[in-house]
Amino acid sequence: MAEMLDLDAEVLHSYLSDLTAWTRELTGERPPRRILDLGSGTGAGSFALLERFDGAEVIALDVSEPMLRHLEAAARERGLADRIRTVQADLDASRPELEPVDLVWASASLHHMADPDRVLADVLTMLRPGGLMIAVELDAFPRFLPDDLGFGRPGLEERCQAAMAEWRAAQMPHFGADWGPLLAKAGFSVEAERVFTIDLTPPLPESAGRYAQASLRRMRTGVDGVLDSDDLAALDRLLDDDGGPGSVLRREDLHVRASRTAWAARRPQAA
């Protein structure tokens, strides 16, 4: 998972730059000094925000200790260790005691919460009055493949996506949620909503093949026992680590397609 998150940040860097630029516009004349990265993972959002906001510091919060250790090592390599503090916490279990922040960043993390209504209400109290929250949601896993791979039956990726959608509906019911009404219900003032469309066409850098491989490998676990043996064999051919014929590491027809929706919501000023 850590590898996939790092590759996501590397391959989709232009999207992340656009998202932080939009965030900078929304902060106006009061750029944040203290930022909370909610569900920080390996720190892609944290690092992008520190690059966008000079002088800011980030509190990177995640439930996974290995993810946070990975983030800390990356921060040291980038010379940013003095601007990032990590906090391990499970927001479904308790509300961590943190100093008020100017910006909360929650990128593809809210759908992991068992009780997002309560979590959002808690997050509201972590923001200073007038502070901004950016919530980002995925529509699905990224798509990479042509319909006809040159082997197997056409439409493999579409069948994988459909199978994963069924799995997510059962395991992550908030995946793909419209967070605008839920933010408003928690007491936020929703100011903006924007869809970011990702469409990267060949030729792509070598990292795109590794990103496709990591993403499809994670999907392979989810579709095992759901797709038929022919589809699984075709998927395994795509995932060949040795870069054999048909492997995503060698394909020149990869096409990265995705869309992500972002909501900007503010804690109202105190009366």
Side-chain angles (χ1 to χ4, degrees), residues 189-255:
S189 174
V190 180
E191 295 188 347
E193 177 180 339
R194 179 173 170 182
V195 176
F196 291 83
T197 300
I198 299 161
D199 189 12
L200 306 179
T201 59
L204 296 176
E206 178 269 341
S207 56
R210 291 186 286 115
Y211 179 46
Q213 185 187 54
S215 299
L216 292 170
R217 181 171 286 138
R218 187 162 182 253
M219 191 179 293
R220 173 65 170 82
T221 302
V223 301
D224 193 20
V226 178
L227 299 187
D228 63 30
S229 59
D230 289 342
D231 277 348
L232 294 177
L235 195 51
D236 288 339
R237 184 172 176 181
L238 287 164
L239 294 173
D240 181 13
D241 279 325
D242 295 327
S247 169
V248 291
L249 299 179
R250 292 183 58 183
R251 297 189 71 98
E252 297 180 353
D253 57 358
L254 295 181
H255 182 175

Side-chain angles (χ1 to χ4, degrees), residues 14 16 35 38 59 75 77 83 97 99 104 119 142 172 174 181-182 188 202-203 206 218 220 223 225 243 247-248 265:
S14 59
L16 194 54
I35 301 168
L38 202 67
I59 302 167
E77 291 177 2
R83 296 178 63 194
E97 293 300 322
E99 58 269 34
V104 173
V119 169
M172 289 191 294
H174 304 296
L182 295 173
F188 288 89
E206 178 269 341
R218 187 162 182 253
R220 173 65 170 82
V223 301
S247 169
V248 291

Side-chain angles (χ1 to χ4, degrees), residues 101-122:
V101 300
D102 306 303
L103 172 66
V104 173
W105 175 273
S107 179
S109 58
L110 292 176
H111 60 241
H112 290 288
M113 308 301 172
D115 186 358
D117 287 340
R118 185 190 61 76
V119 169
L120 288 174
D122 286 345

Side-chain angles (χ1 to χ4, degrees), residues 38-238:
L38 202 67
S40 59
T42 56
S46 295
F47 298 134
L49 290 164
L50 288 178
E51 183 176 347
R52 181 67 64 183
F53 296 106
D54 293 336
E57 62 180 34
V58 168
I59 302 167
L61 185 151
D62 203 278
V63 69
S64 169
E65 182 177 358
M67 288 285 189
L68 293 175
R69 300 294 83 79
H70 183 101
L71 188 156
E72 289 171 349
R76 288 192 294 270
E77 291 177 2
R78 294 166 181 251
L80 295 173
D82 61 335
R83 296 178 63 194
I84 294 185
R85 174 164 65 93
T86 59
V87 174
Q88 184 183 5
D90 181 354
L91 294 180
D92 280 322
S94 62
R95 176 188 179 281
E97 293 300 322
L98 300 173
E99 58 269 34
V101 300
D102 306 303
L103 172 66
V104 173
W105 175 273
S107 179
S109 58
L110 292 176
H111 60 241
H112 290 288
M113 308 301 172
D115 186 358
D117 287 340
R118 185 190 61 76
V119 169
L120 288 174
D122 286 345
V123 170
L124 183 71
T125 67
M126 299 178 191
L127 269 173
R128 64 164 177 79
L132 184 70
M133 178 169 184
I134 301 294
V136 183
E137 186 55 88
L138 316 178
D139 65 339
F141 290 136
R143 296 172 184 263
F144 303 95
L145 304 173
D147 185 66
D148 188 350
L149 298 169
F151 55 85
R153 290 183 295 139
L156 173 62
E157 189 170 36
E158 187 64 35
R159 291 190 292 279
C160 289
Q161 289 279 355
M164 291 304 298
E166 289 188 13
W167 179 87
R168 286 194 302 267
Q171 301 297 323
M172 289 191 294
H174 304 296
F175 189 100
D178 180 357
W179 292 103
L182 295 173
L183 287 161
K185 180 181 177 182
F188 288 89
S189 174
V190 180
E191 295 188 347
E193 177 180 339
R194 179 173 170 182
V195 176
F196 291 83
T197 300
I198 299 161
D199 189 12
L200 306 179
T201 59
L204 296 176
E206 178 269 341
S207 56
R210 291 186 286 115
Y211 179 46
Q213 185 187 54
S215 299
L216 292 170
R217 181 171 286 138
R218 187 162 182 253
M219 191 179 293
R220 173 65 170 82
T221 302
V223 301
D224 193 20
V226 178
L227 299 187
D228 63 30
S229 59
D230 289 342
D231 277 348
L232 294 177
L235 195 51
D236 288 339
R237 184 172 176 181
L238 287 164

Side-chain angles (χ1 to χ4, degrees), residues 13-23 52 194 196-197:
H13 61 88
S14 59
Y15 147 74
L16 194 54
S17 178
D18 289 344
L19 178 57
T20 58
W22 183 62
T23 302
R52 181 67 64 183
R194 179 173 170 182
F196 291 83
T197 300

